[in-house]
Amino acid sequence: TQLLEQSPQFLSIQEGENLTVYCNSSSVFSSLQWYRQEPGEGPVLLVTVVTGGEVKKLKRLTFQFGDARKDSSLHITAAQPGDTGLYLCAGARDGNNRKLIWGLGTSLAVNP
Amino acid sequence: EAGVAQSPRYKIIEKRQSVAFWCNPISGHATLYWYQQILGQGPKLLIQFQNNGVVDDSQLPKDRFSAERLKGVDSTLKIQPAKLEDSAVYLCASSLGLAGGYEQYFGPGTRLTVT
């Protein structure tokens, strides 16, 4: 059973376009993290969202945590080739020994 | 601050052979994780250590996989004997543990190909 569903699984867009990636669950998380992984490297943490309804911005990336803390979205404005990579969401639950529940990822390709 | 170190970066072996991977976490990080990642998918937790104790190894195929973190610092993951389906990237990550948040810091991974 996949507790965190990510959509779309694959996305190929042109430079300058906007996109949104979704991370959904039927379970409540105490916090949710977004990571980006480039080919040949390990995932790198982009952001952690903690409060329901929270919105965080990181340059052209906007992250939102759902009010019920069951889902999250990542919106990229004016995508650039450097945004290419695998975007992973991971949810945390209190008392879970610092174990994260991982989504399967969204593979994004931004073409110049 | 040095990041998580892993070696080797690449390994090619034949099925039924054995292989070992090494990980050195960020200094001071109590928790160490080993993940298996199939190309283009999310990481699958194999084993989690808190200092030198095992917290979770529920998804570790114990008939062929083993891991240790004897001194609570670096760790090794071994596969013996390897199967074709073990071809994947093996990621090591570390975090502060119970004293910190959930943020995990990853090494570059070891890409294993079993032929």
Side-chain angles (χ1 to χ4, degrees):
Chain A
T1 302
Q2 186 62 32
L3 295 181
L4 270 175
E5 301 284 345
Q6 284 192 243
S7 62
Q9 187 175 357
F10 300 99
L11 192 55
S12 180
I13 62 171
Q14 294 300 120
E15 182 176 1
E17 293 184 4
N18 301 331
L19 68 118
T20 302
V21 175
Y22 300 92
C23 177
N24 297 307
S25 175
S26 57
S27 302
V28 175
F29 293 99
S30 58
S31 66
L32 195 137
Q33 301 174 5
W34 284 94
Y35 292 77
R36 179 171 66 207
Q37 184 177 19
E38 297 183 14
E41 300 297 329
V44 175
L45 179 67
L46 296 174
V47 76
T48 299
V49 285
V50 178
T51 306
E54 181 177 6
V55 176
K56 281 191 174 180
K57 292 191 175 183
L58 185 66
K59 296 183 181 178
R60 294 175 293 100
L61 278 61
T62 302
F63 304 86
Q64 185 165 6
F65 202 12
D67 291 341
R69 291 185 289 133
K70 293 182 178 181
D71 53 80
S72 181
S73 64
L74 158 60
H75 182 79
I76 301 179
T77 303
Q80 299 178 0
D83 297 326
T84 294
L86 180 68
Y87 288 81
L88 295 158
C89 65
R93 293 179 177 157
D94 287 336
N96 208 23
N97 291 318
R98 296 297 185 270
K99 174 182 172 180
L100 292 174
I101 308 299
W102 291 87
L104 292 180
T106 293
S107 181
L108 171 66
V110 182
N111 306 301
Chain B
E1 180 182 81
V4 177
Q6 288 188 249
S7 67
R9 290 295 308 273
Y10 305 93
K11 191 73 177 179
I12 301 174
I13 62 173
E14 295 182 352
K15 59 183 179 183
R16 291 187 289 275
Q17 286 187 327
S18 62
V19 64
F21 312 127
W22 175 81
C23 172
N24 192 25
I26 292 174
S27 177
H29 279 196
T31 306
L32 186 147
Y33 312 80
W34 281 103
Y35 289 94
Q36 181 191 59
Q37 186 177 32
I38 304 298
L39 184 64
Q41 296 185 13
K44 170 189 171 183
L45 180 67
L46 293 175
I47 189 167
Q48 176 183 345
F49 292 95
Q50 177 73 17
N51 296 309
N52 61 349
V54 175
V55 174
D56 186 345
D57 64 356
S58 57
Q59 297 195 86
L60 186 74
K62 299 180 185 62
D63 57 334
R64 298 184 301 106
F65 285 64
S66 65
E68 59 182 16
R69 193 186 184 200
L70 292 176
K71 296 181 179 180
V73 181
D74 57 348
S75 175
T76 56
L77 175 69
K78 297 179 181 178
I79 307 175
Q80 181 179 12
K83 292 184 176 181
L84 295 176
E85 58 260 37
D86 298 332
S87 294
V89 174
Y90 290 85
L91 294 166
C92 178
S94 69
S95 68
L96 284 169
L98 298 179
Y102 283 80
E103 293 79 7
Q104 296 185 13
Y105 299 85
F106 286 81
T110 297
R111 180 176 296 279
L112 173 67
T113 302
V114 182
T115 63

